[in-house]
Amino acid sequence: MIYGRQEHFQFLEEELRAQTEAYKQKLDTSAVFLLQDREEIFVAQFLKFQDGEMILKFSNKRGLPRQGEYLYGFTVQKELRDYRNWENKTFGDLVKAKTNYSEIVCIWQAPSNEKDFSIAGFRGVELEFSTHIQDAEGMILILGPNKPPFEYIANLQKIVQNESNESVNRILDQDFSFSDWTPSLLDNKKDISYFVLTQLALQDTLIIQGPPGTGKTYLIAEICEKLCQQGKTVLVTALTNRALIEIVEKPALQSLLEEHRIFKTKLSVDEARAIKDLLQTKDVSPQPGNLILSTFYIISGQAAQTFNEPPFDYVIVDEASQALLGMFGGAKLLGKKNIWIGDTKQLPPVVALSDDKVNRKNYGALVDGLKALSDNASMPIFQLTETHRLTERAASYTSLFYKGSLNSRAKKDIRLSFSETAFDIRKYFNPQGGPTLIKTDLKVGDFKPKQAMKLATELVMHLLTTNEKLHISVLTYFIETTKALQKSIFQTVGYHKNLLIETVSRVQGLTTDVTIFVVPNSSYHRSLENRLFNVATSRSKRHTIIIADKNVLTRSQVDSEVKQYLQKLDNEFSFYIPVEPELKMLSDKS
């Protein structure tokens, strides 16, 4: 299918309208209602900055921000700091009255020393905002729904209207028809970064498919180091700041950091504290021999204003599976040579438009840009094959999504058995690592399944008693289920920095020791969607525990590759735990 530029513009216009309408509805809603009934606004007291984190205190009379939730934090004039003075004011009225603000993300919650209060830690605080409040202990902050990326969509509209640039035309004006492509496997290359740069001497754009744990960020860091030492101008962009920071932390970039040759836009307090040699830049402009890091949102603005020769020698797009198709046009405007690194088998971009509308209007290729470009097979596509995260057994399962191409190069000395836990617990952890299926009885349509929450809580409780500090992630598709799990687990075991309870859509790129994936007995087309399931079950270096209803395999909504995975697991390593009054985890092999 060929998309005309007007059609592409119209898709972005509809997405912008959907985002605007959803956010306007929030802005026009009573602030008190959002605070007390919906728990989408929070009032907090600033305590301090500690280790780059902003610590806030919350009343237990109302809800707490969800761990992993991105929020718009702001200060207001004195009379609005007491919610009892809000009267008929809307959330929009409060936003208009702000005196300073920053986007922030909640990373932990814990009980306070005062019984009627809890505390929570936040990262991502912009330096300017931290300067504004750091000496104002006791300052009242308001936290509310984050502003959607309106400017990003508007910038993409300008990019898709650029019909004079031949590089952009080659990307956006293709006939996006499916090709059953097979990428060239990078399994016999000793120096993959050198191979990639050699290929770029022949082509101006490459796609690199990176399955879970195959070292995408290591490869990006190695490529950047080589290019900067050659005096090239290099820009790396990704959807999230976290992805950019993970690249900077790789050993290959240590010398560039020490030489103050790496710059990042919108450097936050915690980023500046964690990586002291990382410098802030306000401009996305090329600097020979230096590396610039910036998000899609920021560089899209630069691309929208670029009409002549691309300013950068090289643009590397990380998290490329999260980029809308128009963003790739933007990357071509900014870089003479492009490398797009992502995984078409993991989650696509999140858009405000409904799935029904995207399907009805054939907008799929415009949303899922990397998949559309890969399916079209119009440029060289290579795939990394060696996973350093997954054990051999785990790789054999995840490889089902990659035509059997994954090989494990994980450390062999990693501990996979927890002998210090009771037998009734440790038997659920396969001595070779990888997945376990725990089947139980879950009520149809219940998104807060008590049995699954009890099982997840008990597993977490025992894992926290092992003789090493394991990183544990409890994942699910639904926000409602996530909130219920957070409440159940945190109230039982307390707050632990190495414990994450989150939706799957928020953890792409995460590496953890143990994952517990909770699948409610409803809407299986969501929880067991091919790409989401792949993300959920490929995070762990050691074990993945899947908790689902005993009849999960009989559901017609289950994707064929996911069913193949679960059927294989059901036959090889699964357990059935019936509902019992005390929920003792006594179970029989199914």
Side-chain angles (χ1 to χ4, degrees):
M1 179 176 180
I2 297 175
Y3 293 89
R5 294 302 177 89
Q6 184 54 41
E7 188 176 5
H8 199 154
F9 182 91
Q10 184 60 31
F11 152 66
L12 293 167
E13 185 68 19
E14 291 181 30
E15 172 62 15
L16 188 58
R17 193 179 302 129
Q19 289 185 6
T20 303
E21 287 173 359
Y23 188 58
K24 186 177 184 301
Q25 191 173 33
K26 305 279 188 199
L27 292 175
D28 292 342
T29 301
S30 159
V32 173
F33 176 73
L34 289 176
L35 174 76
Q36 296 183 328
D37 293 79
R38 295 288 295 275
E39 295 185 350
E40 292 184 42
I41 286 182
F42 309 93
V43 175
Q45 185 178 46
F46 171 69
L47 298 181
K48 60 183 176 179
F49 279 97
Q50 181 175 305
D51 299 331
E53 298 171 0
M54 181 173 69
I55 314 298
L56 302 180
K57 184 169 80 170
F58 296 82
S59 168
N60 288 337
K61 293 177 182 177
R62 295 180 295 275
L64 284 174
R66 182 165 55 94
Q67 187 184 21
E69 185 173 5
Y70 284 82
L71 293 162
Y72 187 78
F74 57 99
T75 53
V76 290
Q77 52 201 320
K78 191 171 183 179
E79 60 269 22
L80 291 178
R81 293 173 191 169
D82 186 339
Y83 74 92
R84 287 166 293 194
N85 295 332
W86 291 356
E87 298 176 335
N88 297 323
K89 286 184 169 56
T90 64
F91 175 52
D93 293 330
L94 297 182
V95 171
K96 286 176 188 173
K98 68 182 181 296
T99 53
N100 212 307
Y101 66 93
S102 174
E103 179 183 303
I104 56 178
V105 58
C106 179
I107 56 169
W108 57 262
Q109 308 165 352
S112 168
N113 293 330
E114 304 171 68
K115 68 174 184 176
D116 294 330
F117 295 90
S118 295
I119 58 174
F122 295 81
R123 282 187 181 163
V125 183
E126 292 183 29
L127 288 171
E128 184 180 335
F129 185 73
S130 70
T131 303
H132 175 67
I133 68 165
Q134 64 184 355
D135 297 322
E137 183 180 345
M139 170 74 80
I140 298 298
L141 273 66
I142 297 173
L143 283 58
N146 210 8
K147 180 184 172 186
F150 300 133
E151 293 88 353
Y152 174 51
I153 302 299
N155 289 333
L156 293 186
Q157 286 183 308
K158 293 175 184 175
I159 290 167
V160 303
Q161 287 179 307
N162 183 342
E163 298 186 57
S164 61
N165 187 288
E166 190 54 40
S167 294
V168 175
N169 296 345
R170 285 199 299 270
I171 295 300
L172 301 184
D173 296 337
Q174 300 180 51
D175 182 359
F176 290 101
S177 54
F178 177 75
S179 170
D180 191 15
W181 59 280
T182 300
S184 301
L185 302 181
L186 296 174
D187 51 0
N188 295 314
K189 306 289 185 297
K190 290 184 179 178
D191 188 340
I192 294 177
S193 60
Y194 176 78
F195 173 80
V196 169
L197 292 177
T198 302
Q199 290 297 308
L200 273 179
L202 308 172
Q203 307 281 342
D204 60 13
T205 306
L206 298 179
I207 293 176
I208 299 177
Q209 168 94 346
T214 50
K216 295 184 286 292
T217 52
Y218 281 93
L219 176 59
I220 291 171
E222 289 171 359
I223 290 171
C224 290
E225 192 273 336
K226 283 183 169 65
L227 291 173
C228 288
Q229 297 301 5
Q230 294 171 18
K232 303 297 184 184
T233 56
V234 186
L235 168 66
V236 175
T237 184
L239 179 70
T240 62
N241 286 294
R242 184 182 69 183
L244 297 173
I245 292 300
E246 286 178 359
I247 293 167
V248 180
E249 291 172 336
K250 296 299 178 272
L253 292 179
Q254 187 59 41
S255 60
L256 288 180
L257 263 179
E258 292 170 356
E259 294 164 14
H260 296 142
R261 292 165 63 185
I262 304 181
F263 297 81
K264 182 182 179 294
T265 56
K266 286 208 170 182
L267 197 62
S268 67
V269 176
D270 52 294
E271 291 168 355
R273 186 184 184 281
I275 309 175
K276 291 184 171 55
D277 290 319
L278 182 60
L279 302 179
Q280 178 162 269
T281 181
K282 291 189 176 180
D283 301 315
V284 183
S285 55
Q287 302 176 30
N290 291 345
L291 173 61
I292 309 295
L293 306 166
S294 191
T295 61
F296 294 170
Y297 303 146
I298 294 173
I299 75 149
S300 63
Q302 189 78 7
Q305 298 170 24
T306 302
F307 297 96
N308 301 316
E309 189 72 10
F312 285 88
D313 294 322
Y314 290 82
V315 168
I316 301 172
V317 179
D318 187 20
E319 296 188 322
S321 65
Q322 295 290 297
L324 299 171
L325 181 61
M327 187 64 224
F328 294 103
K332 294 294 288 183
L333 284 166
L334 293 176
K336 299 178 183 73
K337 301 278 187 178
N338 270 244
I339 307 171
W340 300 336
I341 302 182
D343 186 358
T344 58
K345 297 292 187 177
Q346 298 203 21
L347 292 172
V350 176
V351 292
L353 287 174
S354 66
D355 291 345
D356 174 64
K357 193 162 194 176
V358 169
N359 292 331
R360 200 162 21 89
K361 296 208 166 188
N362 288 320
Y363 286 157
L366 306 180
V367 174
D368 206 348
L370 186 67
K371 187 173 186 302
L373 292 165
S374 299
D375 284 350
N376 207 34
S378 60
M379 61 190 69
I381 305 172
F382 299 93
Q383 185 198 309
L384 303 172
T385 62
E386 298 187 345
T387 174
H388 301 273
R389 176 191 303 160
L390 304 175
T391 65
E392 192 171 329
R393 179 174 174 269
S396 73
Y397 276 89
T398 298
S399 198
L400 294 171
F401 299 102
Y402 299 93
K403 300 183 179 178
S405 61
L406 277 188
N407 301 305
S408 175
R409 293 290 180 269
K411 292 179 180 178
K412 302 291 185 184
D413 58 351
I414 191 168
R415 189 165 77 113
L416 298 172
S417 298
F418 308 118
S419 57
E420 64 269 44
T421 60
F423 174 75
D424 281 346
I425 295 297
R426 67 174 181 261
K427 68 181 178 182
Y428 299 117
F429 298 93
N430 192 293
Q432 295 176 296
T436 303
L437 176 60
I438 293 182
K439 296 179 293 184
T440 187
D441 302 291
L442 301 181
K443 183 181 175 183
V444 175
D446 185 2
F447 293 102
K448 299 178 181 179
K450 290 182 180 178
Q451 173 80 343
M453 288 193 290
K454 287 180 181 178
L455 290 168
T457 302
E458 189 164 341
L459 285 167
V460 168
M461 188 169 59
H462 283 275
L463 287 167
L464 289 172
T465 65
T466 58
N467 295 333
E468 62 177 308
K469 217 169 193 177
L470 298 169
H471 189 283
I472 306 161
S473 296
V474 183
L475 306 178
T476 186
Y477 171 81
F478 303 98
I479 291 175
E480 187 178 355
T481 314
T482 303
K483 287 182 176 180
L485 284 164
Q486 287 182 352
K487 186 174 182 181
S488 171
I489 294 172
F490 286 138
Q491 284 185 351
T492 304
V493 304
Y495 165 72
H496 294 265
K497 279 202 171 185
N498 57 332
L499 172 61
L500 175 70
I501 306 168
E502 190 48 282
T503 59
V504 179
S505 61
R506 288 284 182 90
V507 300
Q508 197 152 273
L510 173 78
T511 299
T512 186
D513 287 305
V514 179
T515 293
I516 300 168
F517 180 37
V518 176
V519 180
N521 188 4
S522 187
S523 300
Y524 283 112
H525 66 290
R526 300 290 188 189
S527 296
L528 301 184
E529 189 275 329
N530 183 290
R531 292 157 77 172
L532 183 128
F533 183 87
N534 181 28
V535 171
T537 56
S538 61
R539 301 301 92 207
S540 298
K541 294 186 287 186
R542 309 196 197 197
H543 300 277
T544 296
I545 310 291
I546 303 167
I547 300 175
D549 183 71
K550 64 183 178 183
N551 296 316
V552 63
L553 279 163
T554 67
R555 303 304 182 192
S556 59
Q557 297 169 300
V558 182
D559 168 85
S560 59
E561 285 182 332
V562 172
K563 182 166 274 193
Q564 185 183 0
Y565 182 114
L566 290 173
Q567 190 66 65
K568 176 181 176 182
L569 186 55
D570 190 40
N571 293 334
E572 188 229 344
F573 199 72
S574 66
F575 301 83
Y576 170 60
I577 302 175
V579 176
E580 297 179 6
E582 298 300 317
L583 194 63
K584 288 182 67 179
M585 295 181 75
L586 301 172
S587 47
D588 300 317
K589 187 82 177 286
S590 65

